[in-house]
Amino acid sequence: MNLKTVNEIFSYGLLAVGALKFILAILVLMQVLTNMNYIFAGGYINTYDYSKFSVIIGGAQIILAVGSIIMIFVNIKELPEVIPGYLWGLGAILIEFITPSFIYLFVLGAECGMYVKAGNKIRDKNARYKKNYKPKRQKNRKVEWFYNEPNEKRQQEELKKQKRMQKLEEELQGWKELLESGEIDEETYNQETNRVIEKKRKLNESTK
């Protein structure tokens, strides 16, 4: 399981806790209002036990709080952008511990909102997460350049050799045409062609 997947799980976990606490608060508030109506109407009070639901949510909060602390350290190097989301989640559970019970109902909405905000922050930043392989690609490009440079140099030298060879061949052909037209004698032709042939020989030896 990679880091992105774990962050995604925690983001949905925080969102779920925020939503479930809000639902629990509404259920409890509805029960209180219903019982007040029954009391004023002279009827009996109906009681519903939400304690198991509350214990489950409380356990999930503790697990998420411990996990959030661990994930803050895990994400410091790879994905520090998600850390504020985990801090919002820790702030939400901290509110529950430090708030007196008689005013807790008034801050419950803020606590649920913090859980939702924490989950959304982690999910949004986590969606942009991509492992950075850029240094590795740069290294590969450097290696490729190291091997390609000698090849390109050899190709350029080979091209120059071919051009020089072509000029020498044209020069030989020119001397031949001059001999055939009678503009030079055979002795001159032999001297000049031997000179050109010697140049070709040296050129071949220099590029071996």
Side-chain angles (χ1 to χ4, degrees):
M1 189 179 293
N2 58 31
L3 183 60
K4 185 174 182 178
T5 304
V6 177
N7 283 328
E8 194 78 10
I9 292 170
F10 270 92
S11 69
Y12 284 113
L14 291 165
L15 286 169
V17 167
L20 290 173
K21 283 188 74 69
F22 185 71
I23 292 170
L24 178 62
I26 291 175
L27 291 174
V28 172
L29 185 61
M30 287 176 62
Q31 181 178 346
V32 171
L33 293 175
T34 301
N35 288 337
M36 288 178 65
N37 288 331
Y38 284 149
I39 291 171
F40 287 117
Y44 295 97
I45 297 175
N46 292 324
T47 58
Y48 298 96
D49 188 8
Y50 297 114
S51 60
K52 291 182 180 179
F53 191 21
S54 179
V55 168
I56 292 171
I57 295 174
Q61 284 181 271
I62 294 171
I63 293 171
L64 286 172
V66 174
S68 294
I69 295 170
I70 296 171
M71 291 304 294
I72 286 172
F73 291 101
V74 172
N75 282 285
I76 284 175
K77 195 171 183 180
E78 289 284 341
L79 192 59
E81 292 87 353
V82 302
I83 291 177
Y86 287 107
L87 293 176
W88 274 92
L90 290 173
I93 195 169
L94 184 62
I95 285 178
E96 186 167 343
F97 280 113
I98 65 175
T99 302
S101 57
F102 63 90
I103 62 169
Y104 176 65
L105 188 63
F106 298 100
V107 298
L108 182 59
E111 181 187 353
C112 295
M114 289 177 72
Y115 273 119
V116 172
K117 188 168 185 176
N120 285 328
K121 272 184 168 291
I122 294 172
R123 189 176 59 178
D124 291 343
K125 298 296 182 182
N126 192 59
R128 304 173 193 173
Y129 171 74
K130 288 183 181 178
K131 273 211 164 185
N132 188 6
Y133 295 107
K134 190 175 180 182
K136 190 174 181 180
R137 288 198 297 270
Q138 286 179 341
K139 184 177 179 182
N140 289 339
R141 283 198 292 269
K142 288 180 180 179
V143 172
E144 185 181 352
W145 170 82
F146 176 78
Y147 287 107
N148 283 342
E149 187 183 24
N151 290 333
E152 290 175 2
K153 190 174 181 181
R154 283 196 295 270
Q155 289 173 358
Q156 290 174 358
E157 290 176 353
E158 185 66 26
L159 186 60
K160 287 180 181 178
K161 176 187 172 182
Q162 290 175 1
K163 287 181 179 179
R164 290 176 67 185
M165 278 292 193
Q166 187 177 355
K167 286 182 179 180
L168 291 173
E169 289 291 342
E170 290 173 356
E171 188 176 352
L172 284 172
Q173 184 64 29
W175 287 117
K176 185 178 179 181
E177 290 174 357
L178 289 173
L179 177 64
E180 290 174 349
S181 64
E183 296 182 32
I184 60 171
D185 56 21
E186 191 171 348
E187 185 180 353
T188 302
Y189 172 75
N190 290 333
Q191 287 177 354
E192 294 299 331
T193 52
N194 287 335
R195 178 181 59 80
V196 176
I197 291 169
E198 181 64 18
K199 282 184 178 182
K200 288 177 65 178
R201 184 186 65 81
K202 288 181 178 180
L203 181 61
N204 282 325
E205 289 179 353
S206 65
T207 55
K208 285 182 180 179

